[in-house]
Amino acid sequence: MSAAFPSSAPVRTGLLLGTLGVVLFSLTLPVTRLSILLSGLSPLGVTLIRLDVAIVLAAVFLAAARARLPDPALLRDLLAVAGGAVIGFPLFMAYGVTLFPADQSPASHAIVVNGLLPFATAVAATVLCGDRPSPGFWLVALAGSGCVVGYALTLGGGAFSVGDLAMAAAVLSAATGYACGSRLSRRLPSWQVICWAVLLCAPVALPLTLALPWIDGPIPAQAWSLPSVTSLLYLGAISQLIGFFAWYRGLSLGGTARVSQVQLLQPFLSLLGAAVLLNEVLTPLTLIMTVVVATLVMIGKRMPVRVG
């Protein structure tokens, strides 16, 4: 194993690319909620259509680059990325944002519950990638996740609902997909990792999409409106595909555990997006927590992590 220190150029580049990935992902939760409202589609319908968009784009990118088929030895990790980051996370998240009680803010609550993802990804990196974060790293990571969870309890009134279970499943799915994708990015270009993982889903996704009228009923006319189509295109092109180009490259360069902590900022970027898209209110507490968490991220990136 080799030590990765904050002063090294690859780590700095990894952190920058990881931050870019987080910015690109930041509207995923509020846009998922908005897409369900605008299109009238079920969570399964939104998940399938965003995946269909990603499948088409992935095929175009791979064909344009004349990419070779990946080594069969990489299939297991590609299937883990497909199951976790491509199918599991979007599907569980889409159901999660629709399952909160009417008196709770579903998008905001789901956004903050998702703040556990950085810590879960660091654990997955330790188990699957061989990263060995220092005790200082774990202390800062726990503090960051603790701040986000505490904020979640404040936002949701301390109430627990079935929506939280769906979001927990989404977090576990994404953490596994992120760690395996980072490991693959050491052997494949990061953009190819997500493109091949997306294409692996095509034999299941495309037939299910064709069967949607029989599964969910006729596709609502409002699903073809410009706002609905725009939201689905964002989810398919950015959240499902292009955001991962930067994200996986950042994880592989800077270390999965270290770069994963940049995700602590994502809930607050998403809350800002929810305020704009869904008219949710940004409270002074939200702004204070954003500053606190950003500070912890800056401290955490200085902590030594031995990369597997």
Side-chain angles (χ1 to χ4, degrees), residues 131-233:
D131 285 11
R132 293 295 179 265
S134 64
F137 173 91
W138 287 118
L139 285 174
V140 176
L142 279 171
S145 293
C147 286
V148 174
V149 170
Y151 179 70
L153 294 175
T154 301
L155 188 68
F160 182 84
S161 73
V162 69
D164 292 303
L165 290 176
M167 287 306 302
V171 165
L172 292 175
S173 298
T176 302
Y178 289 171
C180 291
S182 173
R183 186 164 62 186
L184 279 169
S185 294
R186 300 171 188 174
R187 301 184 62 181
L188 283 175
S190 57
W191 69 271
Q192 287 192 27
V193 170
I194 190 62
C195 284
W196 287 118
V198 163
L199 281 188
L200 279 175
C201 300
V204 174
L206 297 179
L208 279 177
T209 302
L210 293 175
L212 262 181
W214 289 272
I215 298 173
D216 281 346
I219 295 179
Q222 67 200 70
W224 302 105
S225 67
L226 181 59
S228 173
V229 170
T230 301
S231 66
L232 288 167
L233 287 175

Side-chain angles (χ1 to χ4, degrees), residues 261-275:
Q261 298 311 292
V262 178
Q263 295 173 103
L264 284 169
L265 297 174
Q266 186 170 331
F268 301 101
L269 293 173
S270 298
L271 283 169
L272 177 60

